[in-house]
Amino acid sequence: MEKRPLPDSNRQWLLDELNLWRRLGLVNEDQVNGIVDLYETPTQSAERRQSTAIYLLVGVSACFVGLAVLLLVAYNWTLLPDAIKLFLLLIAVGGAHALGYSLRYLWDAKNFSESAFFLGCLFYGGSIWLIADIFHLGSHYPDGIWWWAVGVVPLAFFLDTIFLHMLAVTLLAAWVGTELIGFHGGVPGAFGLPRACWTLPILAGLGFFWSYQKKSTSTLGLYVPLAAWWLALVPLAWSGLARENPILYIGGIGALLLILAEVHPEGSLFAVPYRLYGSLVCIGVLTTLSFFEVQREFRHIHDLGVFVGLSVGITALALGAFGVAAAMHTPADDEATLDRPLMVFVTRQWLPLAMAGLMLFMALWYAALKNAAGNNDAFVAAVPTVLANVGMIGLAFWLMMLGLREDRGFPSGGGVLFFLVWSVCRYTEWFSDHGGLLGGACMFFLCGAAIFGFAMFWHYRKKQRETSDGE
Amino acid sequence: MASDKSHDPDAIAAGAPTRSADMAATAPDVEPITGDVEVKTWLDSMKDYEAAGVIAAIGLQLAVLVAMIVMGSLKAAREFF
């Protein structure tokens, strides 16, 4: 059985505790040895750290060698005949991969092989552009990025290496960005089907499937923002949709990510990437929308149908995801004793669903009052401004509660930081012109009281739970 | 047909063969299972084909480059003639 990694600080703690348990008679000598044998020795840990450092250094050196070769070839490129150029390109790609293959399967040097494969994939991308340049094939350059990504994705799946997944995701994100932002119109020969990067969901879907099968949260953390990036840009494929302010639609994507995070069992690490990116998107959107002057910009809606349609579409997608997850929900063992396990599942979704509802409500609000604003302009913008601020505070406290519930510092710290951001934003908006220091002092006092009140609430709630568990 | 004495305590005490002794005598030689029983998932099985998959992926990259060269050559030939 492979020895499990153990940091030095944890090792010392474990040895101290085992000594104590042995003295108390809780474990015997054999059990102590059995537990210690499960983990790496200090020498093995040091070797692993060294090999990780060497792995990183070799990776960086491979990048430098690749750059040096590319620059050297580029310097002499115009002097070389086309046949030699093509030969060099094929040899560079094939040679780097052959080296990687030999290192991995013949010489058993897995870490070095990954650098060679990575270099081979860089050469492959460079070769696409250079061959296109030799034959003047550059009609639609995002296609080159797509072919590069398509060549890297299978290698990333087979080799099980984060470097190649990072390269694949970066290329796919660049392809989506260049295709959707820079080009419009239909896919050639596809009966007017817009250029919406239709293969992205398939390629990203494979990444999601692979991440869940391999239980790799770090890889999932690459594909989640890729899918969100595509979802955010896909309306640009339709020229009519591109003109509208997309901020409420993007907020809907954040809500969708939060819903998907809470679909996972409580405490699951797979929820973390969805929650992290969902929170970041919602924080960005709500912070922007919390300013009164930003809300007043919604007076300029060009096409009401498109504006509402985008929000309705993303909310329907979010609710659809929630509905499918709720229908497929099987209660965990600890929920099975409860009368309504589905209710527990739904309760965890209160904030994500509220976020989705908030974004949709704002869109419908502005659509309904578009022509009825007149002298009530301030009122029309004030209601969504207040709601955006309530949403910010709700999200901040939700993150704090989540961190406390799952005993993780990152969400709690993020929630507190977000609350501070909200207080600074409101200070600048409300008291920079009027109220001055006194108003600011009053607001910060209330913020401190709110955080203190929350801490006390959580403390008493925890005590109550401990008491009820004891009974 | 002889009666089965394998459950009769007196017969067993007198030296009659028990059913388990019979079974042990007639059982085929099976290697005992030692250590942990490892259940292979389809993903573990995929590891057996990793090398073939890597070759196929490299082949795909080279095929794309060769296809580009062929397309470019055809384009150049069309322009030349």
Side-chain angles (χ1 to χ4, degrees), chain A residues 26-51:
Chain A
L26 298 172
V27 290
N28 60 35
E29 191 69 34
D30 290 339
Q31 286 169 326
V32 169
N33 291 335
I35 292 168
V36 173
D37 276 349
L38 282 174
Y39 300 97
E40 290 175 343
T41 62
T43 318
Q44 286 171 326
S45 294
E47 281 172 3
R48 183 172 52 79
R49 280 198 298 273
Q50 277 181 356
S51 56

PDB file of all heavy atoms in Angstrom, chain A residues 26-51:
ATOM      1  N   LEU A  26      -4.730   3.067  25.607  1.00  0.00           N
ATOM      2  CA  LEU A  26      -5.769   3.078  24.565  1.00  0.00           C
ATOM      3  C   LEU A  26      -5.342   2.277  23.341  1.00  0.00           C
ATOM      4  O   LEU A  26      -6.165   1.719  22.627  1.00  0.00           O
ATOM      5  CB  LEU A  26      -6.083   4.522  24.155  1.00  0.00           C
ATOM      6  CG  LEU A  26      -6.645   5.421  25.254  1.00  0.00           C
ATOM      7  CD1 LEU A  26      -6.733   6.862  24.785  1.00  0.00           C
ATOM      8  CD2 LEU A  26      -8.022   4.928  25.675  1.00  0.00           C
ATOM      9  N   VAL A  27      -4.035   2.301  23.062  1.00  0.00           N
ATOM     10  CA  VAL A  27      -3.503   1.531  21.923  1.00  0.00           C
ATOM     11  C   VAL A  27      -2.261   0.787  22.406  1.00  0.00           C
ATOM     12  O   VAL A  27      -1.599   1.225  23.354  1.00  0.00           O
ATOM     13  CB  VAL A  27      -3.119   2.459  20.737  1.00  0.00           C
ATOM     14  CG1 VAL A  27      -4.318   3.072  20.070  1.00  0.00           C
ATOM     15  CG2 VAL A  27      -2.165   3.553  21.189  1.00  0.00           C
ATOM     16  N   ASN A  28      -1.974  -0.353  21.742  1.00  0.00           N
ATOM     17  CA  ASN A  28      -0.761  -1.072  22.114  1.00  0.00           C
ATOM     18  C   ASN A  28       0.364  -0.751  21.124  1.00  0.00           C
ATOM     19  O   ASN A  28       0.156  -0.019  20.150  1.00  0.00           O
ATOM     20  CB  ASN A  28      -1.025  -2.580  22.231  1.00  0.00           C
ATOM     21  CG  ASN A  28      -1.522  -3.150  20.908  1.00  0.00           C
ATOM     22  OD1 ASN A  28      -1.092  -2.701  19.843  1.00  0.00           O
ATOM     23  ND2 ASN A  28      -2.427  -4.117  20.985  1.00  0.00           N
ATOM     24  N   GLU A  29       1.519  -1.349  21.374  1.00  0.00           N
ATOM     25  CA  GLU A  29       2.708  -1.025  20.582  1.00  0.00           C
ATOM     26  C   GLU A  29       2.508  -1.354  19.098  1.00  0.00           C
ATOM     27  O   GLU A  29       2.881  -0.576  18.208  1.00  0.00           O
ATOM     28  CB  GLU A  29       3.894  -1.832  21.155  1.00  0.00           C
ATOM     29  CG  GLU A  29       5.251  -1.425  20.627  1.00  0.00           C
ATOM     30  CD  GLU A  29       5.676  -0.049  21.124  1.00  0.00           C
ATOM     31  OE1 GLU A  29       5.341   0.324  22.250  1.00  0.00           O
ATOM     32  OE2 GLU A  29       6.347   0.662  20.334  1.00  0.00           O
ATOM     33  N   ASP A  30       1.879  -2.519  18.849  1.00  0.00           N
ATOM     34  CA  ASP A  30       1.671  -2.931  17.450  1.00  0.00           C
ATOM     35  C   ASP A  30       0.767  -1.959  16.710  1.00  0.00           C
ATOM     36  O   ASP A  30       0.987  -1.636  15.538  1.00  0.00           O
ATOM     37  CB  ASP A  30       1.038  -4.335  17.405  1.00  0.00           C
ATOM     38  CG  ASP A  30       2.038  -5.383  17.850  1.00  0.00           C
ATOM     39  OD1 ASP A  30       3.249  -5.080  17.796  1.00  0.00           O
ATOM     40  OD2 ASP A  30       1.595  -6.468  18.260  1.00  0.00           O
ATOM     41  N   GLN A  31      -0.272  -1.519  17.427  1.00  0.00           N
ATOM     42  CA  GLN A  31      -1.202  -0.576  16.787  1.00  0.00           C
ATOM     43  C   GLN A  31      -0.503   0.744  16.483  1.00  0.00           C
ATOM     44  O   GLN A  31      -0.728   1.347  15.434  1.00  0.00           O
ATOM     45  CB  GLN A  31      -2.418  -0.341  17.688  1.00  0.00           C
ATOM     46  CG  GLN A  31      -3.362  -1.538  17.706  1.00  0.00           C
ATOM     47  CD  GLN A  31      -4.422  -1.420  18.785  1.00  0.00           C
ATOM     48  OE1 GLN A  31      -4.175  -0.882  19.859  1.00  0.00           O
ATOM     49  NE2 GLN A  31      -5.604  -1.953  18.501  1.00  0.00           N
ATOM     50  N   VAL A  32       0.347   1.185  17.424  1.00  0.00           N
ATOM     51  CA  VAL A  32       1.096   2.426  17.196  1.00  0.00           C
ATOM     52  C   VAL A  32       1.965   2.285  15.958  1.00  0.00           C
ATOM     53  O   VAL A  32       1.976   3.146  15.062  1.00  0.00           O
ATOM     54  CB  VAL A  32       1.967   2.771  18.423  1.00  0.00           C
ATOM     55  CG1 VAL A  32       2.938   3.895  18.104  1.00  0.00           C
ATOM     56  CG2 VAL A  32       1.085   3.176  19.587  1.00  0.00           C
ATOM     57  N   ASN A  33       2.700   1.149  15.886  1.00  0.00           N
ATOM     58  CA  ASN A  33       3.564   0.940  14.722  1.00  0.00           C
ATOM     59  C   ASN A  33       2.752   0.864  13.436  1.00  0.00           C
ATOM     60  O   ASN A  33       3.169   1.365  12.393  1.00  0.00           O
ATOM     61  CB  ASN A  33       4.378  -0.349  14.904  1.00  0.00           C
ATOM     62  CG  ASN A  33       5.401  -0.180  16.012  1.00  0.00           C
ATOM     63  OD1 ASN A  33       5.823   0.930  16.304  1.00  0.00           O
ATOM     64  ND2 ASN A  33       5.783  -1.275  16.652  1.00  0.00           N
ATOM     65  N   GLY A  34       1.589   0.210  13.529  1.00  0.00           N
ATOM     66  CA  GLY A  34       0.724   0.096  12.342  1.00  0.00           C
ATOM     67  C   GLY A  34       0.268   1.456  11.840  1.00  0.00           C
ATOM     68  O   GLY A  34       0.260   1.720  10.636  1.00  0.00           O
ATOM     69  N   ILE A  35      -0.096   2.330  12.799  1.00  0.00           N
ATOM     70  CA  ILE A  35      -0.557   3.683  12.408  1.00  0.00           C
ATOM     71  C   ILE A  35       0.605   4.467  11.798  1.00  0.00           C
ATOM     72  O   ILE A  35       0.457   5.081  10.741  1.00  0.00           O
ATOM     73  CB  ILE A  35      -1.141   4.419  13.634  1.00  0.00           C
ATOM     74  CG1 ILE A  35      -2.446   3.751  14.076  1.00  0.00           C
ATOM     75  CG2 ILE A  35      -1.404   5.896  13.298  1.00  0.00           C
ATOM     76  CD1 ILE A  35      -2.949   4.208  15.428  1.00  0.00           C
ATOM     77  N   VAL A  36       1.762   4.420  12.457  1.00  0.00           N
ATOM     78  CA  VAL A  36       2.908   5.195  11.945  1.00  0.00           C
ATOM     79  C   VAL A  36       3.332   4.683  10.576  1.00  0.00           C
ATOM     80  O   VAL A  36       3.709   5.466   9.686  1.00  0.00           O
ATOM     81  CB  VAL A  36       4.086   5.141  12.956  1.00  0.00           C
ATOM     82  CG1 VAL A  36       5.333   5.792  12.373  1.00  0.00           C
ATOM     83  CG2 VAL A  36       3.701   5.837  14.245  1.00  0.00           C
ATOM     84  N   ASP A  37       3.216   3.352  10.380  1.00  0.00           N
ATOM     85  CA  ASP A  37       3.627   2.762   9.100  1.00  0.00           C
ATOM     86  C   ASP A  37       2.742   3.195   7.938  1.00  0.00           C
ATOM     87  O   ASP A  37       3.107   3.036   6.775  1.00  0.00           O
ATOM     88  CB  ASP A  37       3.602   1.231   9.192  1.00  0.00           C
ATOM     89  CG  ASP A  37       4.892   0.723   9.797  1.00  0.00           C
ATOM     90  OD1 ASP A  37       5.824   1.531   9.924  1.00  0.00           O
ATOM     91  OD2 ASP A  37       4.948  -0.471  10.162  1.00  0.00           O
ATOM     92  N   LEU A  38       1.558   3.693   8.268  1.00  0.00           N
ATOM     93  CA  LEU A  38       0.661   4.140   7.187  1.00  0.00           C
ATOM     94  C   LEU A  38       1.237   5.347   6.450  1.00  0.00           C
ATOM     95  O   LEU A  38       0.895   5.601   5.305  1.00  0.00           O
ATOM     96  CB  LEU A  38      -0.704   4.539   7.765  1.00  0.00           C
ATOM     97  CG  LEU A  38      -1.678   3.428   8.127  1.00  0.00           C
ATOM     98  CD1 LEU A  38      -2.890   4.041   8.816  1.00  0.00           C
ATOM     99  CD2 LEU A  38      -2.117   2.675   6.877  1.00  0.00           C
ATOM    100  N   TYR A  39       2.096   6.105   7.129  1.00  0.00           N
ATOM    101  CA  TYR A  39       2.533   7.404   6.583  1.00  0.00           C
ATOM    102  C   TYR A  39       3.999   7.362   6.167  1.00  0.00           C
ATOM    103  O   TYR A  39       4.768   6.499   6.603  1.00  0.00           O
ATOM    104  CB  TYR A  39       2.316   8.501   7.637  1.00  0.00           C
ATOM    105  CG  TYR A  39       0.872   8.615   8.034  1.00  0.00           C
ATOM    106  CD1 TYR A  39       0.383   7.973   9.177  1.00  0.00           C
ATOM    107  CD2 TYR A  39      -0.031   9.307   7.244  1.00  0.00           C
ATOM    108  CE1 TYR A  39      -0.943   8.034   9.522  1.00  0.00           C
ATOM    109  CE2 TYR A  39      -1.366   9.379   7.577  1.00  0.00           C
ATOM    110  CZ  TYR A  39      -1.828   8.739   8.722  1.00  0.00           C
ATOM    111  OH  TYR A  39      -3.151   8.801   9.043  1.00  0.00           O
ATOM    112  N   GLU A  40       4.326   8.345   5.321  1.00  0.00           N
ATOM    113  CA  GLU A  40       5.700   8.462   4.845  1.00  0.00           C
ATOM    114  C   GLU A  40       6.654   8.724   6.014  1.00  0.00           C
ATOM    115  O   GLU A  40       6.285   9.384   6.990  1.00  0.00           O
ATOM    116  CB  GLU A  40       5.814   9.660   3.892  1.00  0.00           C
ATOM    117  CG  GLU A  40       5.133   9.487   2.559  1.00  0.00           C
ATOM    118  CD  GLU A  40       5.194  10.765   1.751  1.00  0.00           C
ATOM    119  OE1 GLU A  40       5.465  11.838   2.332  1.00  0.00           O
ATOM    120  OE2 GLU A  40       4.968  10.689   0.545  1.00  0.00           O
ATOM    121  N   THR A  41       7.885   8.236   5.868  1.00  0.00           N
ATOM    122  CA  THR A  41       8.915   8.570   6.851  1.00  0.00           C
ATOM    123  C   THR A  41       9.397   9.996   6.542  1.00  0.00           C
ATOM    124  O   THR A  41       9.156  10.501   5.441  1.00  0.00           O
ATOM    125  CB  THR A  41      10.099   7.597   6.739  1.00  0.00           C
ATOM    126  OG1 THR A  41      10.658   7.743   5.433  1.00  0.00           O
ATOM    127  CG2 THR A  41       9.661   6.165   6.963  1.00  0.00           C
ATOM    128  N   PRO A  42      10.088  10.652   7.511  1.00  0.00           N
ATOM    129  CA  PRO A  42      10.592  12.006   7.220  1.00  0.00           C
ATOM    130  C   PRO A  42      11.481  12.035   5.982  1.00  0.00           C
ATOM    131  O   PRO A  42      11.440  12.983   5.189  1.00  0.00           O
ATOM    132  CB  PRO A  42      11.390  12.355   8.476  1.00  0.00           C
ATOM    133  CG  PRO A  42      10.787  11.535   9.555  1.00  0.00           C
ATOM    134  CD  PRO A  42      10.327  10.267   8.909  1.00  0.00           C
ATOM    135  N   THR A  43      12.282  10.968   5.775  1.00  0.00           N
ATOM    136  CA  THR A  43      13.149  10.921   4.594  1.00  0.00           C
ATOM    137  C   THR A  43      12.309  10.891   3.315  1.00  0.00           C
ATOM    138  O   THR A  43      12.589  11.601   2.346  1.00  0.00           O
ATOM    139  CB  THR A  43      14.037   9.656   4.646  1.00  0.00           C
ATOM    140  OG1 THR A  43      14.499   9.494   5.961  1.00  0.00           O
ATOM    141  CG2 THR A  43      15.191   9.753   3.685  1.00  0.00           C
ATOM    142  N   GLN A  44      11.263  10.037   3.344  1.00  0.00           N
ATOM    143  CA  GLN A  44      10.406   9.940   2.147  1.00  0.00           C
ATOM    144  C   GLN A  44       9.708  11.265   1.873  1.00  0.00           C
ATOM    145  O   GLN A  44       9.558  11.678   0.715  1.00  0.00           O
ATOM    146  CB  GLN A  44       9.377   8.824   2.340  1.00  0.00           C
ATOM    147  CG  GLN A  44       9.977   7.429   2.226  1.00  0.00           C
ATOM    148  CD  GLN A  44       8.987   6.353   2.639  1.00  0.00           C
ATOM    149  OE1 GLN A  44       8.163   6.554   3.538  1.00  0.00           O
ATOM    150  NE2 GLN A  44       9.079   5.199   2.002  1.00  0.00           N
ATOM    151  N   SER A  45       9.255  11.954   2.961  1.00  0.00           N
ATOM    152  CA  SER A  45       8.598  13.262   2.778  1.00  0.00           C
ATOM    153  C   SER A  45       9.555  14.248   2.135  1.00  0.00           C
ATOM    154  O   SER A  45       9.176  14.990   1.218  1.00  0.00           O
ATOM    155  CB  SER A  45       8.151  13.826   4.126  1.00  0.00           C
ATOM    156  OG  SER A  45       7.156  13.040   4.662  1.00  0.00           O
ATOM    157  N   ALA A  46      10.823  14.240   2.650  1.00  0.00           N
ATOM    158  CA  ALA A  46      11.805  15.182   2.097  1.00  0.00           C
ATOM    159  C   ALA A  46      12.064  14.882   0.635  1.00  0.00           C
ATOM    160  O   ALA A  46      12.142  15.787  -0.205  1.00  0.00           O
ATOM    161  CB  ALA A  46      13.102  15.085   2.893  1.00  0.00           C
ATOM    162  N   GLU A  47      12.146  13.571   0.294  1.00  0.00           N
ATOM    163  CA  GLU A  47      12.380  13.190  -1.112  1.00  0.00           C
ATOM    164  C   GLU A  47      11.213  13.624  -1.988  1.00  0.00           C
ATOM    165  O   GLU A  47      11.390  14.104  -3.111  1.00  0.00           O
ATOM    166  CB  GLU A  47      12.558  11.672  -1.213  1.00  0.00           C
ATOM    167  CG  GLU A  47      13.950  11.216  -0.803  1.00  0.00           C
ATOM    168  CD  GLU A  47      14.039   9.697  -0.733  1.00  0.00           C
ATOM    169  OE1 GLU A  47      13.044   9.016  -1.048  1.00  0.00           O
ATOM    170  OE2 GLU A  47      15.115   9.216  -0.347  1.00  0.00           O
ATOM    171  N   ARG A  48       9.984  13.468  -1.458  1.00  0.00           N
ATOM    172  CA  ARG A  48       8.806  13.857  -2.246  1.00  0.00           C
ATOM    173  C   ARG A  48       8.799  15.366  -2.511  1.00  0.00           C
ATOM    174  O   ARG A  48       8.522  15.817  -3.611  1.00  0.00           O
ATOM    175  CB  ARG A  48       7.524  13.454  -1.516  1.00  0.00           C
ATOM    176  CG  ARG A  48       6.249  13.757  -2.294  1.00  0.00           C
ATOM    177  CD  ARG A  48       5.039  13.159  -1.607  1.00  0.00           C
ATOM    178  NE  ARG A  48       4.957  13.534  -0.207  1.00  0.00           N
ATOM    179  CZ  ARG A  48       4.506  14.703   0.227  1.00  0.00           C
ATOM    180  NH1 ARG A  48       4.097  15.597  -0.623  1.00  0.00           N
ATOM    181  NH2 ARG A  48       4.469  14.959   1.524  1.00  0.00           N
ATOM    182  N   ARG A  49       9.151  16.132  -1.438  1.00  0.00           N
ATOM    183  CA  ARG A  49       9.184  17.594  -1.609  1.00  0.00           C
ATOM    184  C   ARG A  49      10.240  17.990  -2.649  1.00  0.00           C
ATOM    185  O   ARG A  49      10.022  18.852  -3.476  1.00  0.00           O
ATOM    186  CB  ARG A  49       9.465  18.269  -0.276  1.00  0.00           C
ATOM    187  CG  ARG A  49       8.238  18.369   0.622  1.00  0.00           C
ATOM    188  CD  ARG A  49       8.458  19.416   1.704  1.00  0.00           C
ATOM    189  NE  ARG A  49       9.575  19.065   2.563  1.00  0.00           N
ATOM    190  CZ  ARG A  49       9.493  18.287   3.637  1.00  0.00           C
ATOM    191  NH1 ARG A  49       8.346  17.758   3.976  1.00  0.00           N
ATOM    192  NH2 ARG A  49      10.556  18.020   4.366  1.00  0.00           N
ATOM    193  N   GLN A  50      11.393  17.278  -2.537  1.00  0.00           N
ATOM    194  CA  GLN A  50      12.464  17.578  -3.499  1.00  0.00           C
ATOM    195  C   GLN A  50      12.023  17.258  -4.916  1.00  0.00           C
ATOM    196  O   GLN A  50      12.266  18.020  -5.847  1.00  0.00           O
ATOM    197  CB  GLN A  50      13.705  16.765  -3.156  1.00  0.00           C
ATOM    198  CG  GLN A  50      14.535  17.424  -2.071  1.00  0.00           C
ATOM    199  CD  GLN A  50      15.783  16.626  -1.756  1.00  0.00           C
ATOM    200  OE1 GLN A  50      15.979  15.557  -2.289  1.00  0.00           O
ATOM    201  NE2 GLN A  50      16.614  17.168  -0.907  1.00  0.00           N
ATOM    202  N   SER A  51      11.349  16.095  -5.081  1.00  0.00           N
ATOM    203  CA  SER A  51      10.942  15.722  -6.440  1.00  0.00           C
ATOM    204  C   SER A  51       9.873  16.673  -6.961  1.00  0.00           C
ATOM    205  O   SER A  51       9.822  16.962  -8.156  1.00  0.00           O
ATOM    206  CB  SER A  51      10.478  14.271  -6.500  1.00  0.00           C
ATOM    207  OG  SER A  51       9.454  14.057  -5.598  1.00  0.00           O
TER     208      SER A  51
END
